[in-house]
Amino acid sequence: MLSASLLTGLVAINGLIAGGRAGILYHREAACTSPYQLQSDTLAIDDTSAQNLTLQANCGLKWKVETLADVTSWFIDCNDNLAFNQSTTVAQAVVVDSSTLTIQLDASQIAGFSTNGPGALKVLPPSGALATTGKASYEPASLAVGSYSIPKLTVQSNIMGSAYTHAKSTLKELFGINVTYDPNTMALLDLELPELEDAAIGYDDATVSLAGGDGYYTTEYTLNADRLTGSWLNGRTSYSLQEGDMVINTGDYLITDDDSGREWSCLGGDGQGNYIFNLEVAGITYNGLPVAAAQFRAHIYIYGYNYTSDAATKYGAGTPVDAVIEPLSDKVSNPPTSGAEPIFTWVGEGEKPNLADAFADDVYITWPQDTDASALEACDVEIVLSSLSGDRATLGPDLDYVINTSSNETQIAITLQNWAFQPVYTEMTVTVAGARLQGTRPAAAALSKTYDIASVFVYLTQQGGGGTTVDGTVTTYSFYGLANLTDVSQITVPSNYTLSTTVDGVTQYFAGTTNSTGVYVNSTAAATVFDGSGVEDLNVQLIGNTVYVTTRINATATKTVDGEPVTFTKAYNGGATLSPDAASPYLTGEPGYAINRTATWIFHEKWAWQESIKIGWGGIDVQPYTGKFEWEMDKGSSQQFTANDPSVTWSLLGNESNSTTVSSNGTLFYASDETSAAIALIATSTTDKSYAGQGCVNVVSSILA
Ligand SMILES: *[C@@H]1O[C@H](CO)[C@@H](O)[C@H](O)[C@H]1NC(C)=O
Ligand SMILES: *[C@@H]1O[C@H](CO)[C@@H](O)[C@H](O)[C@H]1NC(C)=O
Ligand SMILES: *[C@@H]1O[C@H](CO)[C@@H](O)[C@H](O)[C@H]1NC(C)=O
Ligand SMILES: *[C@@H]1O[C@H](CO)[C@@H](O)[C@H](O)[C@H]1NC(C)=O
Ligand SMILES: *[C@@H]1O[C@H](CO)[C@@H](O)[C@H](O)[C@H]1NC(C)=O
Ligand SMILES: *[C@@H]1O[C@H](CO)[C@@H](O)[C@H](O)[C@H]1NC(C)=O
Ligand SMILES: *[C@@H]1O[C@H](CO)[C@@H](O)[C@H](O)[C@H]1NC(C)=O
Ligand SMILES: *[C@@H]1O[C@H](CO)[C@@H](O)[C@H](O)[C@H]1NC(C)=O
Ligand SMILES: *[C@@H]1O[C@H](CO)[C@@H](O)[C@H](O)[C@H]1NC(C)=O
Ligand SMILES: *[C@@H]1O[C@H](CO)[C@@H](O)[C@H](O)[C@H]1NC(C)=O
Ligand SMILES: *[C@@H]1O[C@H](CO)[C@@H](O)[C@H](O)[C@H]1NC(C)=O
Ligand SMILES: *[C@@H]1O[C@H](CO)[C@@H](O)[C@H](O)[C@H]1NC(C)=O
């Protein structure tokens, strides 16, 4: 039932309507206060029942609607959006005479509401729905006809998962460790409605799914915790993730060993091991009516790898981009005349501003003749980046950009080099505060310009298998930011093989008269070339955004030569990923991504924990620490470790001996009977439990031990 307070509110709204409040109703003739009016009770949609609504035409207007016509699209919310997610099946004209229209609205047909939470329902008969007679005319006018009282779903999430990589670039099960979730973290779902009754909440068919976001594709993971299982109390329930609930999806690809396949990769995320996933809860009902879906975030932190030493050689240590401050010269041939708007001109490499490259992007503003910009300062300029997922970042004046100004032109040199993979910023808005402009100040709207930008290079991450020489090991290459990557041939070199064997100490190749019978030849050029992409061979497949390739060592095939069966060894070619240059005819970047077609994929790789990424790094610093392989100890010895945060608790991961211990002050004893060659010593801040509050060293037993 609708609450008394809501009903009162509705009456008040109707009172305003009846009063013919300007702006709500359209009327052309002074005598006609409203083209039509509500004749029945107001609708109160709070369950799945059907209700009738009668509208009376005024001013000699006549309804021109077919009986049984679908009028679902007439219903709008208070923001003038369609009230329902669908535009048919909910409302039907059941009685039409010339002046009276009865609409039956069947709430059980509502698939969803366009607004999350309760709202006012209005009707807006389109032009043509009321025909004119005499001088009266109808132009579409909306009328408040009721309300829907559906709870608003909000979700607050602090879901935090983490996994330590043991100094590897991908998270492997070296220590039998998967991503685990802090038991204290969960998503709290809240349904808000006055006088909400828990018994009316339907969640049997509710689902939780991975929604789109930056830095990952939904096809890459399988979310096993896809239901709401907790009970509801006062409109609240919780949802949490447990180990194994969100796992890498490898499709149906055959994975044979532990080195194979895909794993959480430290390459990606925000470049510091932070992965932010958007989850969506949908399908909750209230009194049988659908509650709008809501999204929330889960944060997974993959830590323990410091790539600085390797990355520095490829990318430097994040050397600041140099701003080229040019003597200001007119960037437009005809500067704006007095009173005209300033002209914004972008000058940079490529097709649009690219904040990922090593070059400054310049925005020049050419001012109208009656405006004097000579007093502008960097802090008068605001540069805001935004992503499709709703992330925003504001650049720092004199840090991420500098300005150079004269009376008639301002150069804004954006020097930021963005290293992180996510968020993927797609837009940049440059706004100048007018206070320090002298002379005529252009209108505020003229002082802002939004650009489509790129902030991330299309990139690949290699996971699984790389470098192993075990037959059957699967290596994977995941691509991010490539639009229309649909076929493996777009991105890999075709694979094939020839057959060889040694006869009397001489290498001979197979040339087939059929594919099973043939002769020996003495060069690869003369040998028959077979397709090498099949399941028995390199099994090259594109699954989602990931290329899978199986390593084959000493694969053989038996053929008939001179009437005798001969076992040949297969020698493979191809299977490697194509460079962006070679792939370029097919592939373009998604919004926010840039492709450098002259670079290799290595240029497009950026690695986790590279020194260049400083923003946001707030991990506990554990010392002593020696870089990639961190710290070596002899078995049977002790070592005192310290952290830059005195509040930490110390813990161990991966020790097999109970005699290996760490004391509360960080003294690690590496037991003589320890059988694990490497363990992790972890310092966790007790004051800051956020993702940044953990640090570790990987301790390996010394080779001398
Ligand atoms: C609405 O009006 C139609 C036609 O008069 C009638 O058949 C129907 O039962 C009414 N529905 C409700 C819910 O009153
Ligand atoms: C880690 O996850 C894998 C795959 O989901 C599972 O087979 C394995 O048992 C898990 N390991 C642990 C230690 O739970
Ligand atoms: C802009 O100012 C510069 C000097 O600061 C001058 O050389 C140039 O002619 C001016 N351009 C216009 C269009 O007024
Ligand atoms: C690839 O995608 C881009 C962006 O969506 C589009 O402009 C382009 O036409 C597509 N190319 C092909 C070959 O489909
Ligand atoms: C390879 O075979 C060709 C013809 O079958 C022959 O002429 C040539 O001498 C052979 N070369 C060697 C190095 O055996
Ligand atoms: C032999 O195999 C090749 C490559 O796999 C194929 O193109 C060819 O059609 C086959 N020939 C016969 C006779 O089956
Ligand atoms: C198997 O392949 C490896 C690497 O290609 C090679 O060194 C080795 O000799 C091969 N073994 C046999 C039995 O052919
Ligand atoms: C075999 O594969 C290699 C590498 O992809 C390629 O260069 C060569 O042209 C292929 N050979 C044939 C006959 O397709
Ligand atoms: C593209 O890559 C080439 C080769 O690595 C490099 O010299 C060039 O500066 C890059 N261009 C951009 C815009 O990053
Ligand atoms: C990574 O290692 C370097 C030394 O090689 C050290 O200076 C730096 O602080 C380390 N970074 C992190 C985040 O541990
Ligand atoms: C270590 O301690 C645990 C828990 O007390 C026990 O279950 C385990 O057997 C012990 N391991 C060894 C090697 O003593
Ligand atoms: C830390 O604790 C260990 C064992 O409890 C003790 O031997 C050592 O002296 C302590 N170190 C400091 C610096 O307090």
Side-chain angles (χ1 to χ4, degrees), residues 553-578:
I553 314 261
N554 311 105
T556 59
T558 301
K559 302 287 177 191
T560 303
V561 178
D562 297 335
E564 297 291 328
V566 179
T567 300
F568 290 90
T569 299
K570 295 178 176 181
Y572 292 99
N573 295 301
T577 55
L578 282 169

Side-chain angles (χ1 to χ4, degrees), residues 501-526:
T501 190
T502 305
V503 180
D504 300 333
V506 178
T507 302
Q508 299 287 350
Y509 299 89
F510 176 79
T513 51
T514 72
N515 278 336
S516 58
T517 305
V519 296
Y520 290 129
V521 291
N522 62 10
S523 71
T524 48

Side-chain angles (χ1 to χ4, degrees), residues 58-291:
N58 294 333
C59 314
L61 292 166
K62 307 268 179 225
W63 292 107
K64 278 283 190 190
V65 183
E66 299 283 322
T67 305
L68 301 185
D70 194 305
V71 296
T72 306
S73 62
W74 291 18
F75 288 85
I76 59 175
D77 64 16
C78 48
N79 298 319
D80 292 347
N81 295 319
L82 284 182
F84 314 117
N85 282 351
Q86 78 260 49
S87 59
T88 60
T89 71
V90 178
Q92 202 175 38
V94 286
V95 180
V96 189
D97 75 21
S98 60
S99 62
T100 309
L101 167 67
T102 299
I103 293 169
Q104 177 170 291
L105 191 144
D106 181 356
S108 71
Q109 299 300 313
I110 298 171
F113 293 91
S114 61
T115 308
N116 193 354
L121 199 62
K122 300 194 289 182
V123 70
L124 176 63
S127 58
L130 278 160
T132 62
T133 58
K135 289 186 193 164
S137 65
Y138 171 70
E139 287 191 26
S142 65
L143 177 67
V145 292
S147 67
Y148 49 94
S149 45
I150 299 304
K152 176 177 184 170
L153 174 61
T154 53
V155 187
Q156 282 189 322
S157 167
N158 63 345
I159 293 179
M160 169 71 213
S162 61
Y164 174 57
T165 63
H166 302 278
K168 290 185 70 100
S169 63
T170 58
L171 176 63
K172 288 289 176 190
E173 284 195 82
L174 184 65
F175 292 84
I177 301 293
N178 293 324
V179 172
T180 58
Y181 296 87
D182 187 329
N184 301 318
T185 68
M186 58 183 62
L188 284 177
L189 281 67
D190 224 326
L191 284 175
E192 292 162 43
L193 189 71
E195 297 176 23
L196 179 125
E197 289 170 25
D198 290 329
I201 302 169
Y203 59 98
D204 286 352
D205 296 328
T207 56
V208 181
S209 59
L210 182 61
D214 286 346
Y216 67 92
Y217 294 105
T218 55
T219 49
E220 294 187 85
Y221 299 90
T222 302
L223 183 68
N224 294 316
D226 57 355
R227 296 277 154 186
L228 294 179
T229 50
S231 57
W232 293 77
L233 183 64
N234 298 330
R236 288 194 143 205
T237 193
S238 65
Y239 167 88
S240 60
L241 290 174
Q242 314 295 328
E243 184 171 352
D245 276 351
M246 189 149 96
V247 292
I248 303 279
N249 176 13
T250 51
D252 294 331
Y253 199 92
L254 184 66
I255 304 286
T256 53
D257 65 26
D258 286 348
D259 286 321
S260 282
R262 301 192 60 191
E263 263 292 5
W264 292 86
S265 175
C266 295
L267 322 175
D270 68 347
Q272 298 180 78
N274 295 298
Y275 292 74
I276 305 294
F277 295 99
N278 296 322
L279 304 184
E280 182 175 276
V281 58
I284 297 173
T285 59
Y286 189 73
N287 277 333
L289 288 170
V291 173

